[in-house]
Amino acid sequence: MSSPTHVRKALHLAAMKAKLQGVAGHRLLLVTALAAFLLLFSARTLFSSSRGPGAASRLSGDGSCSKLPAPVAEALVHYATSNVTPQQTAAEIGVSLRVLQRRSPCNFLVFGLGHDSPMWAALNHGGRTVFLEEDASWIASVRSAHPGLESYHVTYDTRLTEADELIALRDHPGCTAQPDLAAAAEASCRLALRGLPAVFHEVEWDLIMVDAPTGWTPEAPGRMGAIYTAGMAARARRPGDGATDVFVHDVDRTVEDRFSKAFLCDAYLTEQVGRIRHFVIPSHREKPGTPFCPQN
């Protein structure tokens, strides 16, 4: 008969094994879900293309199908062979995926360059996906592995410790009564990001994802400015181009929770799944006097 000590050791080993299997199983499930997302999305894209006027040119002499788009194929290989998984869960990714399925190819701006970046670029195949990243060395590392991703270095002059001070700017006309980000910067709104690449101002953004900058240590810049800037880009959009879908990740954290509600507005919140919120913000251009946040 085994001693109590041996029994406890056996139970401990079994528990550890189950835990490890659970982690591996979760990772496998997420990678499988991503692969399914990308395959379904690419299949829809190819099927739609095959029905268009240029369908004949997409078929070879023996009637074989077109190749997978390069970004989709690269993303599938990346996630199938990688030991890392995206920052978002499959359910959270699904929130943005449903919008991309409806609106892509489109202009998609992402605050942050991460392990999920190849996926976002692939899901927006045919559109323009731009990543804004605070860490120049990380940009260089990602570019070496994924040279096709379009990314730019940005800097932030805020600190997470300033969040309580900055949230008060929701009532300051220098931040909430301006027609666009440039005017807010001229009015000395501290939340207005400065030094952004020209592409930010040149493109009308259909989707914006805020999943950066870092915000888990006191000296980190926090996402206060990124959230405000995303909202201003949406409000300054040309009226005829429709509303802008804005997503904010990590809303379980205080800053993301408070600032998304204050500057993207409860009235524009359409969905929350897990740690991600989805806002649909209409254009305020050519509508002087439109409240920054309408009443619910």
Side-chain angles (χ1 to χ4, degrees):
M1 180 180 293
S2 299
S3 69
T5 300
H6 290 158
V7 171
R8 283 195 297 271
K9 286 183 177 179
L11 289 173
H12 176 71
L13 288 172
M16 289 298 293
K17 183 178 180 181
K19 184 176 181 179
L20 289 172
Q21 288 175 338
V23 171
H26 175 74
R27 177 178 294 164
L28 179 60
L29 178 62
L30 184 53
V31 171
T32 302
L34 284 173
F37 284 158
L38 293 169
L39 283 171
L40 287 171
F41 189 80
S42 59
R44 182 182 68 87
T45 302
L46 291 174
F47 178 72
S48 299
S49 300
S50 69
R51 299 175 65 183
S57 64
R58 292 178 173 270
L59 300 177
S60 64
D62 61 359
S64 59
C65 296
S66 300
K67 295 180 180 178
L68 276 176
V72 177
E74 290 168 6
L76 284 170
V77 171
H78 169 70
Y79 292 113
T81 59
S82 175
N83 288 325
V84 297
T85 54
Q87 292 90 326
Q88 299 182 25
T89 67
E92 290 166 352
I93 291 169
V95 175
S96 308
L97 175 66
R98 289 188 288 274
V99 177
L100 282 165
Q101 287 176 318
R102 186 178 76 250
R103 302 196 67 172
S104 67
C106 63
N107 295 320
F108 187 10
L109 178 68
V110 183
F111 284 87
L113 183 67
H115 298 302
D116 50 4
S117 297
M119 176 191 68
W120 296 129
L123 292 175
N124 190 33
H125 171 65
R128 187 172 188 179
T129 306
V130 172
F131 302 92
L132 304 181
E133 171 58 39
E134 64 186 297
D135 188 339
S137 62
W138 178 243
I139 291 176
S141 175
V142 173
R143 280 179 178 168
S144 66
H146 305 283
L149 296 180
E150 184 178 359
S151 58
Y152 300 90
H153 181 233
V154 295
T155 58
Y156 298 87
D157 61 1
T158 57
R159 292 293 177 267
L160 200 62
T161 51
E162 301 173 305
D164 288 339
E165 173 189 345
L166 294 173
I167 194 69
L169 296 178
R170 62 187 168 190
D171 300 317
H172 195 289
C175 294
T176 59
Q178 305 304 318
D180 53 36
L181 190 69
E186 284 289 323
S188 300
C189 176
R190 281 210 59 210
L191 288 169
L193 296 184
R194 294 159 176 80
L196 293 172
V199 64
F200 175 86
H201 303 282
E202 295 168 353
V203 174
E204 298 284 334
W205 300 105
D206 303 299
L207 278 71
I208 303 177
M209 172 77 70
V210 180
D211 206 359
T214 51
W216 57 80
T217 59
E219 65 274 11
R223 297 180 186 172
M224 300 83 72
I227 291 171
Y228 171 81
T229 297
M232 288 301 289
R235 290 176 174 88
R237 182 178 168 87
R238 286 194 300 260
D241 291 337
T244 303
D245 292 276
V246 181
F247 307 90
V248 179
H249 193 226
D250 295 318
V251 295
D252 56 322
R253 302 192 305 202
T254 301
V255 162
E256 285 80 356
D257 175 39
R258 295 176 67 196
F259 278 76
S260 66
K261 288 180 177 179
F263 294 102
L264 302 181
C265 309
D266 276 326
Y268 298 143
L269 176 62
T270 64
E271 183 180 12
Q272 177 173 340
V273 174
R275 298 171 297 148
I276 196 163
R277 281 184 188 147
H278 175 204
F279 298 82
V280 178
I281 302 178
S283 171
H284 288 199
R285 191 191 291 189
E286 300 177 5
K287 294 180 181 178
T290 300
F292 189 80
C293 280
Q295 296 297 319
N296 284 306

